Amino acid sequence: QVEVVESGGGLVPAGGSLRLSCKASGDTFNTYTMAWFRQAPGKEREFVAANRRSGDMTYYSDSVKGRFTMSRDNAANAVYLQMNSLEPDDTAVYYCARARRLILSALRLSSMYNYWGRGTQVTVSS
């Protein structure tokens, strides 16, 4: 049974920072694709960032590029999302997702991921 668990959400004023953590079970952690998605109230789930595998580049949505940084710690089976210069539009439930394998393309599609956490709430006040 694969388990994905996020943590680190909270309430922060606009311009502030938060760091989300995600731990995913399973061996060979460095070989499968990990991603972050988010879903705001009344909106569809949207892609935030993805890392294909350890050592590969990370991809970001245009809305967070330059403000968010995704990193990976293979020894800890964890990925992180450092969020800086937060804006009220960043308010959402943030989900960590793990693929069953290495994804070579279409990393931005939620359907490519097999395992999801329950999400962590991020609220940015104006």
Side-chain angles (χ1 to χ4, degrees):
Q1 182 76 11
V2 175
E3 190 174 26
V4 178
V5 181
E6 309 96 337
S7 62
L11 173 65
V12 62
S17 298
L18 276 177
R19 186 182 189 230
L20 304 184
S21 300
C22 169
K23 296 207 74 173
S25 63
D27 55 7
T28 61
F29 176 80
N30 62 321
T31 63
Y32 44 76
T33 300
M34 298 290 298
W36 289 96
F37 288 78
R38 67 185 182 185
Q39 188 166 17
K43 295 186 177 181
E44 293 187 355
R45 190 170 298 189
E46 66 170 352
F47 170 79
V48 175
N51 175 256
R52 187 182 289 137
R53 63 182 168 186
S54 182
D56 272 2
M57 57 181 296
T58 300
Y59 301 86
Y60 298 94
S61 68
D62 288 342
S63 61
V64 308
K65 195 176 298 182
R67 300 187 298 122
F68 291 12
T69 302
M70 180 179 180
S71 60
R72 188 168 188 145
D73 182 346
N74 294 324
N77 275 27
V79 293
Y80 306 96
L81 187 67
Q82 178 65 44
M83 307 185 294
N84 298 329
S85 302
L86 282 161
E87 304 166 354
D89 283 348
D90 294 318
T91 295
V93 177
Y94 283 71
Y95 296 91
C96 180
R98 202 210 95 170
R100 188 176 288 130
R101 55 178 178 79
L102 173 67
I103 300 174
L104 297 178
S105 62
L107 280 76
R108 301 168 188 264
L109 297 181
S110 60
S111 59
M112 300 300 289
Y113 298 88
N114 308 97
Y115 310 104
W116 293 80
R118 293 188 175 184
T120 185
Q121 176 71 46
V122 172
T123 303
V124 184
S125 61
S126 56

